[in-house]
Each structure stands twice: as C-alpha cells, then as structure tokens.
Amino acid sequence: TNSTAASTVSATTAFTDFPSLEVTITPRLASSKFLINTSAILGNQSNQMIWGKIQYKVNSGSYADVVVADSPSSRTSVHGILIMNLDNSEYGGNLVINIGASGLSYSVGDTITFKLQVKNYLDSLQLNFNRSENDSDVARKFRGVSTITVQEV
C-alpha cells in the first residue's frame, strides 16, 4: 500500500498513525509468519529522533504491537528509529522498518490489518508526512511516497 498525500499532525509526543499507511490481508494458514516492510517519508521541525512501530489487529479488534522488545518496563518498545540530522533547518528522512512477526493469534478466514505508528522522541513538535518540514514549492523541499508491504510466509 502506498501513501502519497502530504499531511501534518500538530505538536505531539504520542504515537500517531501514519495517514493511509495500513494494509489488510487474509492469511491462508493459521500459523503463518509475516514479513512487514515500511518506508516512511517524514519531515520534522527539529534535529531529533522519530520512533516507529508496527501494530496489527484481527478483524475489528484492538491494535497491538506485532512484537514487543524484551522487558521494556518504562522504556518505549520501538521497531525503528529515524534520526533527523540535516543542515539549514531542512529536517527530513526515511524511516525504514523490516520486521518479522509470528505467533499472532488469529484463525483462517480472519483479516489482519497492519499499520505504522510514529512519534517524536523528545519534543512536542509537528510531524510532517510525505513532505518536508517547510512545504514551500521550491526544488530543495521534498514530497514523498511512503509504503507498507506485508508478506505471509
């Protein structure tokens, strides 16, 4: 699934859905492993980290992380990190997550929806999806296409 629309989320440090970046599949087997690959184009207002994680739900159930880090306790369990580190206040990058998920609880015939969530590491700043922080219509600014792909193996 591709997400092409440029959009913005107001200042936040909470995990938020990447707009239009989700995919639903109907597994062929009851004990499959899934390979999830994402490429998410993001812009930000600052030189900081953006954390990402993949969540899933079965049918119309609640979302949960596909994998949780060992003993996160008060730490945040993440599947990918994007470090914003560009010059001239041009903060942007590509968050890439490639992760396998097994042991998900579902039955043959169920649908499973996977989605990407992202959050600012530290500061409560605007997040920009498929666009640079400053969206001026000039060549040094960017617009992008983000993707999520799920394979049943």
Side-chain angles (χ1 to χ4, degrees):
T1 297
N2 292 328
S3 170
T4 59
S7 63
T8 298
V9 168
S10 298
T12 181
T13 56
F15 274 103
T16 187
D17 293 349
F18 193 110
S20 303
L21 208 57
E22 69 176 44
V23 63
T24 301
I25 66 168
T26 303
R28 295 173 295 136
L29 303 171
S31 59
S32 293
K33 179 176 179 179
F34 303 94
L35 300 177
I36 304 115
N37 304 297
T38 62
S39 173
I41 306 296
L42 292 152
N44 202 334
Q45 295 174 301
S46 176
N47 199 10
Q48 69 168 309
M49 290 186 288
I50 295 178
W51 292 347
K53 66 180 180 177
I54 305 296
Q55 291 196 314
Y56 81 101
K57 71 175 181 177
V58 177
N59 298 322
S60 60
S62 299
Y63 278 99
D65 293 356
V66 294
V67 179
V68 176
D70 183 42
S71 303
S73 188
S74 296
R75 295 169 290 256
T76 303
S77 180
V78 300
H79 302 135
I81 298 171
L82 170 61
I83 299 174
M84 299 287 185
N85 190 12
L86 301 173
D87 295 329
N88 302 321
S89 298
E90 299 296 328
Y91 302 110
N94 185 18
L95 174 64
V96 176
I97 299 174
N98 300 303
I99 193 166
S102 59
L104 305 183
S105 180
Y106 66 91
S107 301
V108 172
D110 286 344
T111 59
I112 304 176
T113 302
F114 297 88
K115 70 178 181 178
L116 172 64
Q117 287 198 315
V118 295
K119 80 182 276 309
N120 285 313
Y121 157 71
L122 184 60
D123 297 325
S124 182
L125 298 171
Q126 172 179 302
L127 273 172
N128 303 290
F129 304 101
N130 296 323
R131 56 162 270 201
S132 53
E133 180 267 328
N134 179 331
D135 198 34
S136 297
D137 192 9
V138 295
R140 70 179 199 160
K141 306 300 180 183
F142 66 85
R143 288 284 179 101
V145 176
S146 299
T147 63
I148 185 169
T149 304
V150 177
Q151 297 173 303
E152 179 183 10
V153 294

